[in-house]
Amino acid sequence: MTSATAASQPATAAPSRQLHRIVVVGGGAGGLELVTRLGDRLGRHGLADIALIEKARTHLWKPLLHEVAAGSMDVGRHELDYLAQAYWHGFRFRFGEMVGLDRSQRLVHLAANFDDEGRLITPVRSIGYDTLVIAIGSVTNDFGIPGVTEHAIALDTPEQAQLFNRRLVNACLRAHTQAEPVRPGQLHVAIIGAGATGTELSAELHRTLRGVVAYGLDKIDPDKDIRITLIEAAGRVVPALPQRLSDATARLLGELGVEIRTGARVSEVRPDGVCLAGGDFIPSELVVWSAGVRGPDVLMNLAGLEASPSGQLVVRPTLQTTRDDNIFAMGDCAYLVPDSETRPIPPRAQAAHQQAAHLFRQIRRRLKGQSVEPFVYRDFGSLVSLGEFSTIGSLMGFVSGKGMLVEGFIARLMYRSLYKMHETALHGPLKVGLDTIARLLTRRTEPHVKLH
Ligand SMILES: Cc1cc2nc3c(=O)[nH]c(=O)nc-3n(C[C@H](O)[C@H](O)[C@H](O)COP(=O)(O)OP(=O)(O)OC[C@H]3O[C@@H](n4cnc5c(N)ncnc54)[C@H](O)[C@@H]3O)c2cc1C
């Protein structure tokens, strides 16, 4: 589409009505893979009209956010521009946040967008669909604990991760230039939730904080002044992993000097630190909340679609929502308990990736008038990256269907491969190969931690 024709289209431009309209809402780990494939196979060839509705302008794979927060990743090198992706892959990008749905008219309602000066960018509008896929992910669950929203930072978006990193670097610069000695809590970070996110962040922070100080902030003594505390309500870190891995992770974190508080319930987050239910107070300038996720608020009452108590859309094994065959949900925002299981499919990138591949095939079947097949989730295991120190995890079901514990280089390779699979789904192997080489080369000429 040339810029002239794009500009002349009305905001709610309806595509040609002969074509089936497939709209994906949410261009994250799952949604962007799906819409890219649909665009390549159907949109480009005029076989269907494919659109992505997304409230952000750029995409960054969410599992990278702890690296952004710690300052070990430059967002600019990894983010993808939705407009360009849409142009290259045969779909339309509709910038905006879904705020409602009209199932009888088959319309997705979008909020208006404003720039920093309050000027309107895109108006309130509605986009029509024949098949709708909702893939808007999850948000951090604060469980109603006082002070979390005001004083803790969640890692839901690149902006939040960057904000945390800026505060971290500012705290180091302040401590280095102030006349008085570093006070207790000033360079302390409390991470609440020792799931994969919190655990990975604590190890990454240990390294990057020392990295920042090593660039000349010599008034700070990393061993004395910097403290990272990982707080977990369950009895062990990474409770979703087998005990042995959890023990190994705790041992490695302990060797790094990360303080672990398990069996500790947070009762309040204050501007100067974290209160525990038992009465303890952990002074900390910076608090990260990574203690669980729930569905985004918009799903709680979305045109009568069934939502789970955790605010996700309840879907059938076909990933169709329980009350509307034309609406699918996938990824973190979908709630599905497989027949043979007692627990729902976990909110993980590997689930979103598998569901994107599945829905791509099923939507094509649907267009041919064939039935939609059920989704079968395969748990390939879990890996936790402790930065450059180690990666450990369990890989599932390769030969015997039982878990196999892995650690070190192999585990690190497998951990990275999930991101490479995501990149390959979006760009193809050639571009991913070239990008990887380019990043390896530029990494040699740049600081390994973000200093601004
Ligand atoms: C720090 C961190 C580390 C993680 N590490 C791992 C890991 O190692 N392995 C693993 O398997 N998983 C990991 N995860 C979980 C993984 O990131 C998620 O499970 C995965 O991103 C879910 O994909 P999704 O497509 O459902 O949602 P997302 O990737 O979150 O994408 C949702 C998209 O929807 C958009 N959106 C939201 N609301 C609206 C709206 N109303 N209108 C329009 N657009 C909207 C968002 O902007 C976003 O682009 C990690 C998560 C975090 C935060």
Side-chain angles (χ1 to χ4, degrees):
M1 192 184 351
T2 65
S3 55
T5 53
S8 65
Q9 281 190 340
T12 51
S16 157
R17 273 311 282 124
Q18 298 92 294
L19 288 181
H20 188 93
R21 297 164 303 171
I22 303 167
V23 173
V24 178
V25 189
L32 189 55
E33 289 187 13
L34 174 63
V35 83
T36 299
R37 285 174 186 228
L38 289 170
D40 282 339
R41 288 298 276 271
L42 302 175
R44 264 188 182 176
H45 303 286
L47 300 173
D49 197 283
I50 317 292
L52 170 68
I53 295 173
E54 167 58 56
K55 66 178 181 177
R57 296 172 197 227
T58 56
H59 163 75
L60 184 76
W61 196 56
K62 206 171 171 183
L64 299 177
L65 290 184
H66 70 280
E67 294 184 38
V68 176
S72 50
M73 168 160 295
D74 184 350
V75 175
R77 292 210 179 280
H78 291 261
E79 71 186 349
L80 171 158
D81 202 311
Y82 286 117
L83 260 179
Q85 182 77 359
Y87 175 75
W88 286 323
H89 293 276
F91 64 90
R92 298 157 192 263
F93 171 50
R94 302 296 192 211
F95 176 47
E97 178 176 0
M98 175 178 76
V99 287
L101 191 61
D102 181 336
R103 282 164 54 203
S104 58
Q105 303 276 327
R106 293 195 188 158
L107 290 173
V108 181
H109 301 311
L110 306 193
N113 261 301
F114 297 89
D115 66 14
D116 292 342
E117 285 92 46
R119 279 176 307 189
L120 183 71
I121 305 173
T122 55
V124 168
R125 59 195 172 142
S126 300
I127 310 279
Y129 67 87
D130 297 306
T131 297
L132 178 66
V133 181
I134 300 179
I136 60 173
S138 55
V139 292
T140 300
N141 193 348
D142 68 5
F143 302 101
I145 293 171
V148 175
T149 317
E150 297 85 350
H151 308 303
I153 298 181
L155 294 187
D156 284 333
T157 63
E159 291 73 28
Q160 288 169 325
Q162 285 169 308
L163 172 70
F164 174 82
N165 183 255
R166 232 178 0 262
R167 287 195 187 164
L168 187 77
V169 175
N170 287 350
C172 290
L173 290 172
R174 199 176 299 123
H176 177 68
T177 47
Q178 72 196 24
E180 66 277 16
V182 177
R183 65 184 152 71
Q186 187 173 346
L187 289 178
H188 293 188
V189 184
I191 301 167
I192 303 165
T197 304
T199 303
E200 291 179 344
L201 178 64
S202 63
E204 198 72 20
L205 269 180
H206 169 88
R207 183 177 72 85
T208 55
L209 268 169
R210 278 158 179 74
V212 172
V213 170
Y215 277 97
L217 307 187
D218 49 14
K219 269 188 72 183
I220 301 172
D221 176 347
D223 294 324
K224 194 163 94 359
D225 298 326
I226 294 175
R227 196 164 111 197
I228 300 166
T229 310
L230 187 58
I231 303 166
E232 169 60 47
R236 56 191 178 96
V237 297
V238 278
L241 293 189
Q243 179 81 43
R244 199 187 121 188
L245 284 173
S246 178
D247 294 345
T249 306
R251 180 178 41 77
L252 279 163
L253 290 178
E255 282 167 16
L256 298 181
V258 173
E259 189 184 328
I260 297 173
R261 303 283 302 254
T262 48
R265 287 196 177 276
V266 172
S267 57
E268 187 185 354
V269 179
R270 297 196 335 213
D272 54 347
V274 178
C275 308
L276 300 183
D280 283 3
F281 178 70
I282 301 172
S284 1
E285 175 109 351
L286 290 154
V287 179
V288 179
W289 185 265
S290 63
V293 296
R294 61 174 175 82
D297 289 339
V298 66
L299 300 182
M300 259 336 227
N301 196 4
L302 191 64
L305 293 177
E306 186 185 359
S308 69
S310 53
Q312 296 156 294
L313 290 177
V314 183
V315 294
R316 286 171 273 157
T318 54
L319 303 182
Q320 282 160 305
T321 50
T322 48
R323 295 179 188 153
D324 195 322
D325 279 0
N326 297 316
I327 303 180
F328 294 75
M330 62 175 286
D332 282 12
C333 74
Y335 180 89
L336 173 64
V337 182
D339 282 344
S340 54
E341 303 285 337
T342 51
R343 292 199 301 185
I345 294 173
R348 292 180 25 205
Q350 58 165 310
H353 175 74
Q354 290 176 36
Q355 290 175 344
H358 177 79
L359 276 186
F360 169 62
R361 289 189 300 271
Q362 301 314 313
I363 288 174
R364 290 175 68 208
R365 283 178 63 85
R366 208 165 176 251
L367 290 185
K368 291 181 201 153
Q370 297 167 343
S371 61
V372 182
E373 296 167 329
F375 169 70
V376 180
Y377 176 58
R378 284 197 67 196
D379 185 351
F380 288 104
S382 302
L383 294 159
V384 178
S385 162
L386 301 179
E388 63 180 12
F389 308 107
S390 187
T391 299
I392 46 185
S394 68
L395 299 179
M396 299 294 290
F398 279 104
V399 183
S400 60
K402 289 188 184 150
M404 179 177 83
L405 304 188
V406 284
E407 191 169 342
F409 179 70
I410 298 285
R412 175 132 195 95
L413 216 60
M414 314 255 354
Y415 182 85
R416 281 284 155 194
S417 69
L418 188 58
Y419 181 41
K420 288 293 162 218
M421 274 156 60
H422 177 65
E423 285 191 298
T424 306
L426 302 183
H427 309 298
L430 180 64
K431 182 170 184 309
V432 174
L434 292 173
D435 274 351
T436 307
I437 293 168
R439 283 176 202 147
L440 284 172
L441 290 175
T442 48
R443 205 166 159 73
R444 294 181 165 271
T445 60
E446 291 170 349
H448 285 193
V449 285
K450 204 158 181 302
L451 301 170
H452 60 273

